[in-house]
Amino acid sequence: RYSRDRARVCVTTTLSAAAGALTVILLAKVVSHVWDVAAVCNGVLAGLVGITASCVVVDPWAAIIIGVISGFVYMAAVKLEAKLKIDDPLDAFPVHGACGMWGVLAAGVFCRPEYTYNQVGSYGFIYGGDKGDLLGIQVIFLIIHFIWVGGLASILFIGMKRAGVLRVSAEVEEMGMDLSKHGGEAYFDLAPKSKAVA
């Protein structure tokens, strides 16, 4: 059984990553009219994050759908961050947060009854039957996760803000952390020419 499951993990992970990459590059081309290499990389990551929760319990066709939807989720989250003026230069939330949430839900949608590992035998709702309740379990998990992480992060960031260490100075922010903290420019053609702060 475990050899079969390992093989399935390899196939579903690869298919979801490829589907995510293709979806994001095509969406990026439609939106920006540019073939964007960074978009391909983040599309691969979106597909990988989207399939992580369910890679052992879904079929290859479901992995492709999960990857495609991960691409759409990623692009929507990027647009949402831009609209909300959230500074996320690496698209960490769209890739890991948004696609991670979708991935958790995807397990509740596409988990095959024959592949499930949970002790009560719950599986994805698309297969019908009396144990197709995994999506509800996944939603409860996400709610608990939001409460736990949101609560702890709030304590951390409020404490850092009150201690005055949450943000760098305006001068360092304008110069960029690459130059001021690491001694070199990450984006040579985009960075303003200025001296490093000691």
Side-chain angles (χ1 to χ4, degrees), residues 13-190:
T13 302
T14 303
L15 288 173
S16 183
L22 290 172
T23 301
V24 170
I25 191 64
L26 292 174
L27 288 172
K29 176 66 174 168
V30 168
V31 171
S32 68
H33 308 291
V34 174
W35 294 107
D36 188 353
V37 175
V40 174
C41 295
N42 280 335
V44 169
L45 290 173
L48 290 171
V49 172
I51 194 67
T52 298
S54 60
C55 60
V56 73
V57 296
V58 299
D59 285 320
W61 65 266
I64 294 169
I65 293 171
I66 291 169
V68 168
I69 295 174
S70 294
F72 279 96
V73 168
Y74 165 77
M75 291 297 286
V78 167
K79 295 296 180 192
L80 179 63
E81 279 191 330
K83 184 177 176 107
L84 297 174
K85 298 183 180 183
I86 296 173
D87 184 20
D88 185 3
L90 298 178
D91 291 339
F93 172 77
V95 169
H96 299 284
C99 290
M101 286 183 277
W102 156 241
V104 169
L105 295 175
V109 175
F110 296 107
C111 175
R112 275 190 71 92
E114 300 85 5
Y115 300 160
T116 188
Y117 273 91
N118 65 69
Q119 293 180 354
V120 295
S122 295
Y123 49 82
F125 81 86
I126 65 167
Y127 295 101
D130 61 343
K131 291 287 187 178
D133 58 355
L134 188 57
L135 182 61
I137 295 166
Q138 301 301 86
V139 169
I140 291 168
F141 165 78
L142 283 177
I143 292 168
I144 293 169
H145 183 77
F146 273 116
I147 293 168
W148 176 257
V149 173
L152 290 179
S154 296
I155 292 168
L156 174 69
F157 290 123
I158 290 169
M160 290 176 68
K161 184 175 183 177
R162 289 193 177 151
V165 295
L166 183 61
R167 294 190 62 106
V168 296
S169 68
E171 179 188 22
V172 170
E173 187 174 341
E174 181 65 32
M175 183 184 313
M177 295 288 284
D178 297 318
L179 188 61
S180 65
K181 298 295 181 190
H182 306 292
E185 296 176 0
Y187 307 100
F188 296 105
D189 54 340
L190 300 176

